[in-house]
Amino acid sequence: MPISPQLIEELVTANRILAREGVVDSFGHVSVRHPDRRGHYLLSRARAPECIEAADLMEFAPDGAPVDAAGRTPYAERFIHGAVYGARPDVHAVVHNHSPSVIPFSITRAALAPVMHMCAGIGRGIPTWDSRTRFGDTNLLVTNMETARDLAAALGDRPVALMRGHGCVVAGGSLREVVFNSIYLQLNAELQLKAMALGEITFLSEGEIAAVMRTRSSFTFERAWEFWCRRAGRTYDVRPMEGPLARS
Amino acid sequence: MPISPQLIEELVTANRILAREGVVDSFGHVSVRHPDRRGHYLLSRARAPECIEAADLMEFAPDGAPVDAAGRTPYAERFIHGAVYGARPDVHAVVHNHSPSVIPFSITRAALAPVMHMCAGIGRGIPTWDSRTRFGDTNLLVTNMETARDLAAALGDRPVALMRGHGCVVAGGSLREVVFNSIYLQLNAELQLKAMALGEITFLSEGEIAAVMRTRSSFTFERAWEFWCRRAGRTYDVRPMEGPLARS
Amino acid sequence: MPISPQLIEELVTANRILAREGVVDSFGHVSVRHPDRRGHYLLSRARAPECIEAADLMEFAPDGAPVDAAGRTPYAERFIHGAVYGARPDVHAVVHNHSPSVIPFSITRAALAPVMHMCAGIGRGIPTWDSRTRFGDTNLLVTNMETARDLAAALGDRPVALMRGHGCVVAGGSLREVVFNSIYLQLNAELQLKAMALGEITFLSEGEIAAVMRTRSSFTFERAWEFWCRRAGRTYDVRPMEGPLARS
Amino acid sequence: MPISPQLIEELVTANRILAREGVVDSFGHVSVRHPDRRGHYLLSRARAPECIEAADLMEFAPDGAPVDAAGRTPYAERFIHGAVYGARPDVHAVVHNHSPSVIPFSITRAALAPVMHMCAGIGRGIPTWDSRTRFGDTNLLVTNMETARDLAAALGDRPVALMRGHGCVVAGGSLREVVFNSIYLQLNAELQLKAMALGEITFLSEGEIAAVMRTRSSFTFERAWEFWCRRAGRTYDVRPMEGPLARS
């Protein structure tokens, strides 16, 4: 069955939003799990997210092999996506990014944790994966399945893992969710950076994080998605709502 | 009596200005007290402020019930507005926002206070309301009148209250005033964050704050409103002036 | 003799540039000395610099009285300009601004001084004038000649004075010069704020500052002016060059 | 042989990109080595990079003399370029800039070093050249070959040297490379500034830097160049690829 044009457009939009919000620059990428083919995923050819068009999107097999490259060069780090989809049946979308607010936490021992309700989705106990621990001095890139599986193992069942001196990976149930959590991960990092200069921080409690996650509906993502579409100059494609009422 | 189109446009503009100035993102909202119906207020349906049109504006009863929902989903936190209007006859407009410069002060013990004359309107002794104090582990949202009244009690007769791990509420005599104080609250937070890195801060004295408030005229709000309208791409609707001469 | 249209346009442009570069927001103003009438100056009516048109420009007598108000409301703080022109025959243009990077230095004891050659024009030994020292608890505004002369005395023969909890005043030989020094004062403040977090700072030496000032030509201002005109959407009006060759 | 229009356009684009990304303001410049004439280079007349057109580009002899000035005023600091081309046969493009994130490292003893894989190209052991060491109190400008050669000596065989109280110089094998390294030098400075507030930093190891440089292909520069062209409003001129596959 061919991929729906709606999903294609949503993946293009996800790229453009991440670029507009400064989460990705020329690098970083976002994928969505193939709706039909087990373990396959859709991801752009190697191109800056701001420039991506529908024709750039490619399908990849679980091991990162392009299904129909048609002359297009894939991202060298596409393996990140395949490894996460392989390890996590609950995950339907993955972002890899180099957010300039998040990286400082990957290169120090300061622990990133939710300080605000909108950021609860990043979870507690965010791990920092260091390519050097197991692979020694490399160019830090995740360019094969072995390295990618090591990263996915560090991620475990969490929504976010940092990558030392590199960036992070964000995994979730939908494109809207991973875009949302990537942007609020960046915001949380900014808030925490500012707050650390002011004194001791009161983080969200575990109970609060659980309560936010329990009551979050897709409507929260929709409201943000419409806003980000407008900022990115993309048409907003309304989604049927699910879950409890709008919040915040 | 129907609401004047001028007030409707002003409320749309208030939303757009707060979005343009970065005080709100996809979340946060601004309301105005209903000019005729006691305790009622006007507030958008649940939508990002940047996207709001006149048709999104709804009327709410004091308890947060929509007067004529017409299929529109209200903000889950509209109760904040109702509780403040109920407790404060002097208040005619309310903003709830998650300004990224203000939140760090809500999650630390650093006290936010005016450091510059334009920011005097935020007042001294700004309280931080913590939902956890009385309600324990929640999703931090103010989704009923009981919680909203607790927040309104913390606000007391002040223009601003912070909300721990969440944002703030700004209450005032007009839309122009609450927008002005929301933006200058954000600026004050930025100034204070920078100044704290430089050494001990000289805050405005109580006498200075009182002097600014005593001599502030609506002209100050008008000058800023025209500027913010231009930046937000909104038509500036001139208001007849009141009070002493322009200042600053 | 009527004011040349070129000078009028330059003053409008100066306003727009300062707004575009974030040196002024809704408040702050820039004036130019009247080319013919002794002690008189040109300054906009009370309006946000971003919105100013040629028709907003007014002429003021040395004591701040408008020459031909024609129903226009003047800035309450126009006296700053009159007092500086009165005290400083070398000054032909004045900016008053609330730059958010500069204010932190006005409310702490951290001394702002040139850290980079382009910022040498702000001078060493920048004083901070505090309205409270002589006038006690006020609204901090300079709304009469007595206060303005006190500020001008603190400025002395320097290019810059800070105003505690308020902003600063920048005085110079031309509109291009005061706009240049206002923008580079802001940049110097940003550089110094960042550098202070890194360790002890090497400031420009007195000899270096003197050398920069001795060799600075109007060409330096021209190159920047063209750039800022483009960013502000204003037509660049080429000026005949004077002094030594371009630098930097 | 006349210079190819493609190279001319690439040099104009390099100027515009550096301006759009905030690496240069009204000042700073970028040159390319003349493809045919030994030691000659192409550089704009003295103009803000954001404003530069093809007609502004001039050819300079190794000693900084314009080949055909045609009434155009050269940059006073063009000698920087000549000295670097003279000392470094491997260098084909040079940027001189005043990045506001980089300067703080030039005026303190904090050492700038790669903290992220994309920034590996700035190298380790970045020196800070101080004009005062050999030339005493000057206006800090590099306006003759003697000073420029002293700077080039400090640069040595490295890609980057800081200039105390002034900015930096970035040298590399192509326009795309020096633009890339200038932008990621700025990003590295921002990351390091943030991380230093969080605690001790884990920098890239020497082995990691070497691995990144060994495996970097021109494709990395291409992907970024397309993105920056779009942001700067310039047409992207595709380049034939060389080296290993895309990375990151």
Side-chain angles (χ1 to χ4, degrees), chain D residues 184-220:
Chain D
Y184 281 103
L185 172 65
Q186 177 169 276
L187 179 65
N188 199 88
E190 287 162 16
L191 294 174
Q192 214 175 317
L193 271 160
K194 288 176 185 165
M196 287 175 81
L198 298 181
E200 204 191 335
I201 297 175
T202 302
F203 291 89
L204 293 198
S205 71
E206 281 189 51
E208 287 176 330
I209 293 172
V212 172
M213 299 316 293
R214 205 165 46 234
T215 58
R216 174 155 291 171
S217 78
S218 66
F219 190 93
T220 302

Coordinates of all heavy atoms in Angstrom, one line a residue, chain D residues 184-220:
Chain D
Y184 N 30.7 27.4 13.0 CA 30.7 26.4 14.1 C 31.7 26.8 15.2 O 31.6 26.3 16.3 CB 31.0 25.0 13.5 CG 29.7 24.4 13.0 CD1 29.4 24.3 11.7 CD2 28.7 24.0 13.9 CE1 28.2 23.8 11.2 CE2 27.5 23.5 13.5 CZ 27.3 23.4 12.1 OH 26.0 22.9 11.7
L185 N 32.7 27.7 14.8 CA 33.5 28.3 15.9 C 32.6 29.1 16.8 O 32.7 29.1 18.0 CB 34.6 29.2 15.2 CG 35.4 30.0 16.2 CD1 36.3 29.2 17.1 CD2 36.3 31.0 15.4
Q186 N 31.7 29.9 16.2 CA 30.8 30.7 17.0 C 29.9 29.8 17.8 O 29.6 30.1 19.0 CB 29.9 31.5 16.0 CG 28.9 32.4 16.6 CD 28.2 33.4 15.7 OE1 28.8 34.5 15.5 NE2 27.1 33.0 15.1
L187 N 29.4 28.7 17.2 CA 28.5 27.8 18.0 C 29.3 27.2 19.1 O 28.8 27.0 20.2 CB 27.9 26.7 17.1 CG 27.0 25.7 17.8 CD1 25.8 26.4 18.3 CD2 26.7 24.5 16.9
N188 N 30.5 26.8 18.8 CA 31.3 26.1 19.9 C 31.5 27.1 21.1 O 31.4 26.7 22.3 CB 32.7 25.7 19.4 CG 33.4 24.7 20.2 OD1 33.1 23.5 20.1 ND2 34.2 25.2 21.2
A189 N 31.7 28.4 20.8 CA 31.9 29.4 21.8 C 30.6 29.5 22.6 O 30.7 29.6 23.9 CB 32.3 30.7 21.2
E190 N 29.5 29.5 22.0 CA 28.2 29.5 22.7 C 28.0 28.3 23.6 O 27.5 28.4 24.7 CB 27.0 29.7 21.7 CG 27.0 31.0 21.1 CD 26.1 31.1 19.8 OE1 25.3 30.1 19.6 OE2 26.2 32.0 19.0
L191 N 28.3 27.2 23.0 CA 28.1 25.9 23.8 C 29.0 25.9 25.0 O 28.6 25.6 26.1 CB 28.4 24.7 22.9 CG 27.5 24.4 21.8 CD1 28.0 23.3 20.9 CD2 26.1 24.1 22.2
Q192 N 30.2 26.4 24.8 CA 31.2 26.4 25.9 C 30.8 27.4 27.0 O 31.0 27.1 28.2 CB 32.6 26.6 25.3 CG 33.7 25.9 26.0 CD 35.1 26.1 25.4 OE1 35.2 26.1 24.2 NE2 36.1 26.4 26.2
L193 N 30.3 28.6 26.5 CA 29.9 29.6 27.5 C 28.8 29.0 28.4 O 28.8 29.2 29.6 CB 29.4 30.8 26.8 CG 30.4 31.9 26.4 CD1 29.9 32.8 25.3 CD2 30.7 32.7 27.7
K194 N 27.8 28.3 27.8 CA 26.7 27.7 28.6 C 27.2 26.6 29.5 O 26.9 26.5 30.6 CB 25.7 27.2 27.6 CG 24.8 28.2 26.9 CD 23.9 27.6 25.9 CE 23.1 28.6 25.1 NZ 22.4 27.9 23.9
A195 N 28.1 25.7 28.9 CA 28.5 24.6 29.6 C 29.4 25.0 30.8 O 29.3 24.3 31.9 CB 29.3 23.6 28.7
M196 N 30.2 26.0 30.7 CA 31.0 26.4 31.8 C 30.2 26.8 33.0 O 30.7 26.7 34.2 CB 32.0 27.6 31.4 CG 33.0 27.1 30.4 SD 34.1 28.4 29.7 CE 35.2 28.7 31.1
A197 N 29.0 27.2 32.8 CA 28.1 27.6 34.0 C 27.6 26.3 34.6 O 27.1 26.4 35.7 CB 27.0 28.5 33.5
L198 N 27.7 25.2 34.0 CA 27.1 23.9 34.5 C 28.1 23.1 35.2 O 27.7 22.2 36.0 CB 26.5 23.1 33.3 CG 25.4 23.7 32.5 CD1 24.9 22.8 31.5 CD2 24.2 24.1 33.5
G199 N 29.4 23.3 35.0 CA 30.4 22.5 35.6 C 31.5 22.1 34.7 O 31.7 22.7 33.7
E200 N 32.3 21.2 35.1 CA 33.5 20.8 34.3 C 33.1 20.2 33.0 O 32.2 19.4 32.9 CB 34.3 19.8 35.1 CG 35.8 19.8 34.7 CD 36.5 18.6 35.3 OE1 36.1 18.1 36.4 OE2 37.5 18.1 34.7
I201 N 33.8 20.6 31.9 CA 33.4 20.2 30.6 C 34.2 19.0 30.1 O 35.5 19.0 30.3 CB 33.6 21.4 29.6 CG1 32.7 22.5 30.0 CG2 33.4 20.9 28.2 CD1 32.9 23.8 29.2
T202 N 33.6 18.1 29.4 CA 34.3 17.0 28.7 C 34.5 17.5 27.2 O 33.5 17.6 26.5 CB 33.5 15.7 28.7 OG1 33.3 15.3 30.0 CG2 34.3 14.6 27.9
F203 N 35.7 17.9 26.9 CA 36.0 18.3 25.5 C 36.2 17.1 24.6 O 36.4 15.9 25.1 CB 37.3 19.1 25.5 CG 37.1 20.5 26.1 CD1 37.3 20.6 27.5 CD2 36.7 21.6 25.4 CE1 37.1 21.9 28.1 CE2 36.5 22.8 26.0 CZ 36.7 23.0 27.4
L204 N 36.1 17.2 23.3 CA 36.5 16.2 22.4 C 37.9 15.8 22.7 O 38.7 16.7 23.0 CB 36.3 16.6 20.9 CG 34.9 16.9 20.4 CD1 35.0 16.9 18.8 CD2 33.9 16.0 20.9
S205 N 38.2 14.5 22.6 CA 39.6 14.1 22.8 C 40.4 14.4 21.5 O 39.8 14.6 20.4 CB 39.7 12.6 23.1 OG 39.3 11.9 21.9
E206 N 41.7 14.4 21.6 CA 42.5 14.6 20.4 C 42.2 13.5 19.3 O 42.1 13.8 18.1 CB 44.0 14.5 20.7 CG 44.5 15.8 21.4 CD 46.0 15.9 21.5 OE1 46.7 15.6 20.5 OE2 46.4 16.2 22.6
G207 N 42.0 12.3 19.8 CA 41.7 11.2 18.9 C 40.3 11.4 18.2 O 40.2 11.1 17.0
E208 N 39.4 11.9 18.9 CA 38.1 12.2 18.3 C 38.2 13.3 17.3 O 37.6 13.2 16.2 CB 37.1 12.6 19.4 CG 36.7 11.4 20.2 CD 35.7 11.7 21.4 OE1 35.8 12.8 21.9 OE2 34.9 10.8 21.8
I209 N 38.9 14.4 17.6 CA 39.1 15.5 16.6 C 39.7 14.9 15.4 O 39.3 15.2 14.2 CB 39.9 16.6 17.2 CG1 39.1 17.3 18.4 CG2 40.3 17.6 16.2 CD1 39.9 18.3 19.2
A210 N 40.8 14.1 15.6 CA 41.5 13.6 14.4 C 40.5 12.7 13.6 O 40.5 12.7 12.3 CB 42.7 12.8 14.9
A211 N 39.7 11.9 14.3 CA 38.8 11.0 13.6 C 37.8 11.8 12.8 O 37.4 11.4 11.6 CB 38.1 10.1 14.5
V212 N 37.2 12.9 13.3 CA 36.3 13.7 12.6 C 36.9 14.3 11.4 O 36.4 14.2 10.3 CB 35.7 14.8 13.5 CG1 34.9 15.8 12.6 CG2 34.9 14.3 14.6
M213 N 38.1 14.8 11.5 CA 38.8 15.5 10.4 C 39.1 14.5 9.3 O 39.1 14.8 8.1 CB 40.0 16.2 10.9 CG 39.7 17.3 11.9 SD 38.3 18.3 11.4 CE 39.0 19.2 10.0
R214 N 39.5 13.2 9.7 CA 39.9 12.2 8.8 C 38.7 11.7 7.9 O 38.9 11.4 6.8 CB 40.4 11.0 9.6 CG 41.4 10.1 8.8 CD 42.1 9.2 9.8 NE 41.2 8.6 10.8 CZ 41.4 8.7 12.1 NH1 42.4 9.3 12.7 NH2 40.5 8.1 12.9
T215 N 37.5 11.8 8.5 CA 36.4 11.2 7.8 C 35.4 12.3 7.3 O 34.4 12.0 6.7 CB 35.5 10.3 8.8 OG1 35.1 11.1 9.9 CG2 36.4 9.2 9.3
R216 N 35.8 13.6 7.5 CA 34.9 14.6 6.9 C 35.0 14.7 5.4 O 36.1 14.8 4.9 CB 35.3 16.0 7.6 CG 34.5 17.2 7.0 CD 34.5 18.3 8.0 NE 33.6 18.0 9.1 CZ 33.5 18.7 10.2 NH1 34.2 19.8 10.4 NH2 32.7 18.3 11.2
S217 N 33.9 14.8 4.8 CA 33.9 15.0 3.3 C 33.3 16.3 3.0 O 32.7 17.0 3.8 CB 33.0 13.9 2.7 OG 31.7 14.2 2.8
S218 N 33.5 16.7 1.7 CA 32.9 18.0 1.3 C 31.4 18.0 1.3 O 30.8 19.0 1.3 CB 33.4 18.3 -0.2 OG 32.9 17.3 -1.1
F219 N 30.8 16.8 1.4 CA 29.4 16.7 1.5 C 28.8 17.4 2.7 O 27.8 18.0 2.7 CB 29.0 15.2 1.5 CG 27.5 15.0 1.3 CD1 26.9 14.9 0.0 CD2 26.6 15.1 2.4 CE1 25.6 14.7 -0.1 CE2 25.3 14.9 2.2 CZ 24.7 14.8 1.0
T220 N 29.6 17.3 3.8 CA 29.2 18.0 5.0 C 29.0 19.5 4.8 O 28.1 20.1 5.3 CB 30.2 17.7 6.2 OG1 30.3 16.3 6.3 CG2 29.8 18.4 7.5

